Amino acid sequence: MTDKPFSFWTSQNTAASFSEPGACQARATAFEKKIRRRNVIEFAAGGLVIVLFGAMAIMAASVGEWLFAAAGLAIGIAAIFVIAKLHRDGSAQPRVPEQTCREHLRAQLVRQRDLLRSVPMWYLAPFVPGLLGFYLVVTAKVAEVQGWTVAIDGVWLKVTGTAAFFVFVGWLNLYAAKKIDREIGALDRA
């Protein structure tokens, strides 16, 4: 008896692939840990921005420098907005029993991809008014003492560096969103 009794089944599914038990769970848990780690770092950085620019705003207001105070306040408010948005829309979703591990992982990936794609609008844009205000006030103060030529020479590199940093952060997040998009595609194909 050399013929296998179920050869027609096994020959039909040569491309079948199975994952190890618990692989999806481990992958979802690792992704959730990555989300939590990112959020903790962002919350700490946001807290530092709030404290530093809040203190700057208070000190500037105490000596009557209202434009400095407004710029510092705008940057602090932007940081509060970013932290709140990240907490609300960027935290890992709790698992629900009605959802399979694969569905949960896919939903997490889609949620994070969409959040990363919109970073220029919710993460970077809120800081623009405060930073521009800060640079304008500093430039005007320097211009009062040394003239506009010196003031503009002193600020253009800082503004250009800040803009380049913003472009880099935006690009980095869009790149990460594309990586997550590929993961979603691979999960859909599996």
Side-chain angles (χ1 to χ4, degrees), residues 2-110:
T2 58
D3 288 342
K4 294 180 183 173
F6 302 107
S7 62
F8 64 95
W9 286 342
T10 56
S11 67
Q12 298 290 322
N13 291 319
T14 57
S17 65
F18 300 94
S19 61
E20 291 292 320
C24 180
Q25 182 76 23
R27 189 171 167 195
T29 300
F31 188 64
E32 289 165 357
K33 283 182 182 178
K34 194 177 204 179
I35 292 168
R36 278 193 291 280
R37 185 174 39 248
R38 178 210 55 204
N39 287 358
V40 165
I41 291 168
E42 292 291 342
F43 294 157
L48 184 62
V49 167
I50 292 166
V51 168
L52 291 177
F53 282 92
M56 181 194 88
I58 291 169
M59 285 189 281
S62 71
V63 295
E65 291 289 344
W66 300 109
L67 293 176
F68 267 122
L73 185 62
I75 292 170
I77 289 170
I80 291 168
F81 171 79
V82 166
I83 289 172
K85 170 83 171 165
L86 187 61
H87 177 70
R88 185 183 72 237
D89 296 340
S91 296
Q93 291 293 96
R95 298 177 188 193
V96 291
E98 303 84 39
Q99 208 174 30
T100 67
C101 181
R102 183 185 179 118
E103 290 169 345
H104 173 74
L105 177 58
R106 189 179 192 292
Q108 292 280 48
L109 288 167
V110 168

Side-chain angles (χ1 to χ4, degrees), residues 31 35 38 85-86 88-91 93 105-124 169-170 172-185 188:
F31 188 64
I35 292 168
R38 178 210 55 204
K85 170 83 171 165
L86 187 61
R88 185 183 72 237
D89 296 340
S91 296
Q93 291 293 96
L105 177 58
R106 189 179 192 292
Q108 292 280 48
L109 288 167
V110 168
R111 179 179 162 97
Q112 295 302 317
R113 178 205 58 199
D114 294 346
L115 185 74
L116 292 173
R117 280 182 179 166
S118 63
V119 155
M121 293 307 296
W122 69 266
Y123 188 88
L124 298 173
V169 169
L172 195 61
N173 281 277
L174 291 174
Y175 176 76
K178 286 180 184 178
K179 281 179 62 176
I180 292 175
D181 212 20
R182 286 192 294 271
E183 285 185 50
I184 294 167
D188 289 345

